[in-house]
Amino acid sequence: MGRALLTENILIPGIRDFDVYRAHGGYVSAEKALKEMTAADVCREVTKSGLRGRGGAGFPTGLKWSFLDRKTERPRYLVCNADESEPGTFKDRYLMEHLPHLLIEGLIISSFALGVRSCYIYVRGEFKYIIGILKRAIDEAYQHNFLGNNILGTGLSLDIFLHPGAGAYICGEETALLESLEGKRGNPRIKPPFPAFKGLYDCPTVVNNVETLAAVVPIIGMGGDAYAAIGVGKSTGTKLISACGNINKPGVYEIDFGLPVEDFIYSEQYCGGIRDGKMLKAVVPGGSSVPVLPAGLMLNTVKGEQRLMTYESMAEGGFETGTMLGSGGFIVFDEDACMVRNTWNFTCFYRHESCGQCSPCREGTAWMEPILKRIELGEGKSKEIDLLVSIAAKIEGNTICPFGDAAAWPVASAIRHFRDEFEFHIDHPEIVKNIEHGSIYKYPVSSIQHPASLR
Amino acid sequence: MRVTIDDITVDVEEGTTILTAARKIGGKIVPPAMCWYSKLKGSGGKCRTCLVKVAQSSAKDPRPMPKLVASCSTPVQDGMVVQNITSPEVLEARKAIVEFLLINHPLDCPVCDQAGECDLQDLSFLHGMVETRSEEPRREFPAIDIGDKIKLNMNRCILCYRCVFTADQITGKRVHGVLYRGDAPEISTYIQNVIDNDFSGNVIDVCPVGALTDRTFRFKSRVWFLNAMDAHRDCTHCGGKVTAWMYGNEIYRITGRKDKYGEVEEFICNECRFEKKNFSDWIIEGPRKISRESVISANHYEKLIKPSIIHPIEGTTEKQE
Ligand SMILES: Cc1cc2nc3c(=O)[nH]c(=O)nc-3n(C[C@H](O)[C@H](O)[C@H](O)COP(=O)(O)O)c2cc1C
Ligand code: SF4
Ligand code: SF4
Ligand code: FES
């Protein structure tokens, strides 16, 4: 088990350099696509591969590409979403840091398939050193005529532009990203129109995640059918999972879809079990935005089947007893972790990162945060648990972009599965105030402050 | 295209939004709109008060839409079936939105010039709760003078962005926008630059609440004590068609002519709005029709009781006929 389609060569010294990357089979897929295939062939292979967006929503990439408005005379754009800022997710960073040429190769093939002449990589602003790495790799690709005019004598041209973000999580939402790229305030747009018709500068645009675009390279290399043969059902191929929290071996792992969650957490090949021999308490398996699940439901679905690392199995049980694979940010909590404190922590993040455009999200996130803080500090009231549930329910589904849902789900799911812990905080303030909160929270409570409360 | 809203069917052109179709039907089934403004491109979608349920997407696709949608920015499809006041889910969501809009609102209507013509007041009256469930301290900002004519009281702002679109699209020279994010955004004139432009006063008219008010009218009178008269003059900057708010022969303030949805018919210039306050400046056409539901049309209490009212300026008491 454990095929490495993306990360096979990641540990080779110097793989960041064009020559080393090339010597290890790099840019072979790009050559194959450009010289031996038509754009329609490439799209067909991607559709056949069953590749689904790795940015979080899991939308089929082939289908997304097919929506692109090809009738207009206006230019088309491909935008790579490298704004990775979801708490718990750090897979794109790993890929770009070590294999910048893999992303560039994916961009070349995808641009060819979509008829794109200019593409943009929107990189999270905090990834300053990665911008340098990408810049160098892009320059190398230009030097070797994999970018620029008349690529490899095929008559095709492509330019890649790097755009650093300015530190907003919301600019990872695709339409906010486009606004930001145009130099405006990063507010998500109201859809429709969708980017496939009116995206960047009102032109047809495809936005894809770093890992999605990188996966196009092995798909062209091995063929869509061979890629689709890996995995289970509609979850095909491999996925990068960034594992963190109270585990022995945090890191980025490439897994085949269909791996049982239990194996992922406990096998030596992956997370290596819970740190210090403790017990598993809960997992947030797809980045902070997806519902948290307690250990029992994480390892087995409510039907008693083993839960697998696939989009479908994660969602088994709906919001009552299931969760989502999301972006693959796998956060593990041991028996000592405090779910109230974690929920508060997440909510601080969402309060801070909301764009503030629509009323339910702007007001709701800022309302939940101080309530959770009070409960965590042993100053909560019992009716406030139901109030939190009610606020979360009123944000969910009523907002412009999915951020509202992402802010509501962690709160709703934590209370659904760990209500006793919230109640304990309220009933036993003295104990709560002196509690040791497990190893992931070493800093004292008072040092966390929301910027808005500092004004 | 044929669309059914709360069991009433109407034919509209392609590209019409649900809200516009509802306004074509009129009456109680029209969803409230706090941020959308027909004359401002790109407005809408933000306040979420206009959420409705689409029970059937179109004749071709009879499935319902999975979430409530903002009626101001969702185009109709042929055969669409929409529920507004007939859907308990919509009313529940609207109640939630009003609650969200109010948790940080200062509730200072007694000292707010907008009282009586405030969309948020009307909305809270229809959909609000009696008690607040929030115990958090409210956001506070200092009030700012935007030049000598406009007052910005950010505490009352609902961040509808209408004034930003106005500054962008009507005045042509934007020195004004939204700063910060999360629950901390502020309408700002960018380090308090004065909005100095012939049409800047229109931001007062588009503001659905009392966040942007007319400094030349500040605290002069309650709007419901005044008579709204349509008036016009020859103006070199704008159409010169305004509403003059009068007490006797005295003009207290000038605004655009607002329709029943609170939208001005035409934007007016600052000269008409701020400089022309003499009776002789204007040709008075007659009383402006104001919806009977509005507080403003209750300005003459004579049919109910005969109260003594305080003259808003002189402080003299007089009997109202
Ligand atoms: C609040 C929010 C933040 C997001 N952040 C990211 C991100 O950092 N990186 C990313 O690839 N997608 C992010 N997404 C998902 C994008 O909107 C979009 O679905 C994705 O880039 C599409 O690419 P894919 O189809 O390849 O997954 C975010 C979505 C939301 C709602
Ligand atoms: S849901 Fe939140 S982040 Fe998304 S548009 Fe609304 S306010 Fe902005
Ligand atoms: S100041 Fe008024 S018009 Fe401007 S965003 Fe706030 S509420 Fe809307
Ligand atoms: S009027 Fe539609 S969202 Fe504000």
Side-chain angles (χ1 to χ4, degrees), chain B residues 195-303:
Chain B
I195 308 183
D196 185 14
N197 185 287
D198 280 351
F199 283 83
S200 65
N202 288 302
V203 298
I204 299 167
D205 282 350
V206 299
C207 185
V209 293
L212 289 165
T213 48
D214 183 342
R215 289 187 67 198
T216 66
F217 173 63
R218 206 163 152 74
F219 299 146
K220 291 236 166 95
S221 172
R222 283 309 191 183
V223 290
W224 58 84
F225 292 141
L226 303 177
N227 289 320
M229 305 296 265
D230 278 349
H232 68 265
R233 65 182 272 268
D234 274 337
C235 178
T236 48
H237 307 293
C238 69
K241 295 202 181 82
V242 303
T243 301
W245 297 77
M246 309 182 51
Y247 192 87
N249 278 351
E250 234 176 297
I251 296 181
Y252 273 73
R253 71 164 177 173
I254 302 288
T255 67
R257 294 184 181 176
K258 290 191 183 177
D259 64 16
K260 61 180 163 193
Y261 300 115
E263 286 195 19
V264 293
E265 288 169 4
E266 277 175 34
F267 290 107
I268 62 170
C269 72
N270 284 3
E271 186 182 308
C272 286
R273 184 187 304 272
F274 298 124
E275 316 289 342
K276 302 291 171 193
K277 298 278 178 89
N278 290 325
F279 189 60
S280 57
D281 290 331
W282 297 97
I283 298 159
I284 308 289
E285 294 166 17
R288 170 117 195 114
K289 269 218 184 80
I290 296 207
S291 152
R292 284 192 20 225
E293 267 126 72
S294 165
V295 190
I296 299 169
S297 18
N299 58 351
H300 300 299
Y301 294 91
E302 70 273 14
K303 294 285 176 301

Side-chain angles (χ1 to χ4, degrees), chain A residues 137-345:
Chain A
I138 291 172
D139 288 346
E140 282 182 320
Y142 271 107
Q143 279 157 25
H144 292 88
N145 195 220
F146 276 95
L147 289 176
N149 290 326
N150 193 14
I151 295 172
L152 305 179
T154 56
L156 274 161
S157 310
L158 175 66
D159 290 311
I160 296 183
F161 302 96
L162 273 172
H163 186 100
Y169 166 65
I170 191 58
C171 289
E173 196 280 337
E174 55 184 5
T175 55
L177 186 152
L178 296 176
E179 287 281 294
S180 173
L181 203 50
E182 290 179 10
K184 302 181 193 151
R185 180 186 165 89
N187 280 357
R189 294 178 183 168
I190 290 138
K191 292 184 255 187
F194 290 93
F197 291 91
K198 275 188 166 192
L200 189 60
Y201 305 114
D202 270 359
C203 296
T205 304
V206 167
V207 183
N208 271 134
N209 173 256
V210 172
E211 190 190 343
T212 315
L213 291 164
V216 172
V217 178
I219 288 171
I220 295 307
M222 69 202 289
D225 287 329
Y227 188 87
I230 307 166
V232 177
K234 285 185 181 162
S235 303
T236 59
T238 63
K239 172 94 187 82
L240 295 181
I241 304 287
S242 56
C244 62
N246 310 119
I247 45 176
N248 281 318
K249 292 166 61 193
V252 179
Y253 298 101
E254 185 167 358
I255 58 153
D256 285 8
F257 274 114
L259 178 74
V261 174
E262 191 167 348
D263 290 2
F264 183 69
I265 297 177
Y266 290 102
S267 79
E268 273 312 306
Q269 198 185 349
Y270 301 111
C271 302
I274 309 301
R275 202 155 57 205
D276 303 332
K278 290 191 180 158
M279 284 194 329
L280 175 66
K281 177 178 194 171
V283 179
V284 175
S288 61
S289 302
V290 310
V292 61
L293 281 187
L297 283 173
M298 192 68 238
L299 301 178
N300 295 299
T301 67
V302 75
K303 288 187 198 154
E305 293 159 3
Q306 228 183 9
R307 203 180 286 277
L308 310 177
M309 302 286 272
T310 63
Y311 292 104
E312 293 76 23
S313 178
M314 284 288 180
E316 179 77 49
F319 281 120
E320 289 305 310
T321 61
T323 176
M324 288 183 300
L325 188 65
S327 58
F330 199 87
I331 313 171
V332 181
F333 302 93
D334 73 16
E335 53 189 297
D336 289 338
C338 171
M339 297 325 286
V340 179
R341 190 175 182 126
N342 181 63
T343 311
W344 172 43
N345 183 24

Side-chain angles (χ1 to χ4, degrees), chain B residues 64-122:
Chain B
M65 288 193 185
K67 290 179 181 179
L68 301 183
V69 299
S71 57
C72 66
S73 34
T74 308
V76 299
Q77 308 279 335
D78 194 32
M80 189 184 251
V81 177
V82 178
Q83 293 174 343
N84 178 26
I85 54 173
T86 50
S87 157
E89 194 187 336
V90 169
L91 295 179
E92 191 56 35
R94 198 161 290 150
K95 207 166 126 186
I97 304 297
V98 175
E99 183 177 28
F100 284 133
L101 287 176
L102 288 178
I103 56 170
N104 273 301
H105 192 83
L107 304 178
D108 57 349
C109 306
V111 293
C112 177
D113 273 336
Q114 192 87 359
E117 52 178 7
C118 174
D119 292 349
L120 188 57
Q121 262 186 339
D122 297 348

Side-chain angles (χ1 to χ4, degrees), chain B residues 122-254:
Chain B
D122 297 348
L123 196 68
S124 322
F125 183 71
L126 284 172
H127 301 282
M129 303 193 195
V130 182
E131 274 177 33
T132 173
R133 298 190 294 166
S134 163
E135 295 173 10
E136 316 310 323
R138 287 162 202 261
R139 269 199 299 272
E140 276 184 38
F141 302 86
I144 300 175
D145 291 333
I146 305 182
D148 58 349
K149 302 286 195 290
I150 305 172
K151 189 94 181 168
L152 169 64
N153 186 330
M154 194 52 216
N155 295 344
R156 299 177 188 146
C157 172
I158 59 155
L159 286 162
C160 70
Y161 282 61
R162 278 182 186 175
C163 58
V164 178
F165 288 116
T166 307
D168 216 14
Q169 294 167 25
I170 314 297
T171 71
K173 198 174 85 187
R174 182 163 74 126
V175 282
H176 155 270
V178 179
L179 298 182
Y180 310 118
R181 66 175 187 222
D183 62 317
E186 283 179 46
I187 296 297
S188 171
T189 54
Y190 214 70
I191 325 297
Q192 300 191 12
N193 254 337
V194 174
I195 308 183
D196 185 14
N197 185 287
D198 280 351
F199 283 83
S200 65
N202 288 302
V203 298
I204 299 167
D205 282 350
V206 299
C207 185
V209 293
L212 289 165
T213 48
D214 183 342
R215 289 187 67 198
T216 66
F217 173 63
R218 206 163 152 74
F219 299 146
K220 291 236 166 95
S221 172
R222 283 309 191 183
V223 290
W224 58 84
F225 292 141
L226 303 177
N227 289 320
M229 305 296 265
D230 278 349
H232 68 265
R233 65 182 272 268
D234 274 337
C235 178
T236 48
H237 307 293
C238 69
K241 295 202 181 82
V242 303
T243 301
W245 297 77
M246 309 182 51
Y247 192 87
N249 278 351
E250 234 176 297
I251 296 181
Y252 273 73
R253 71 164 177 173
I254 302 288

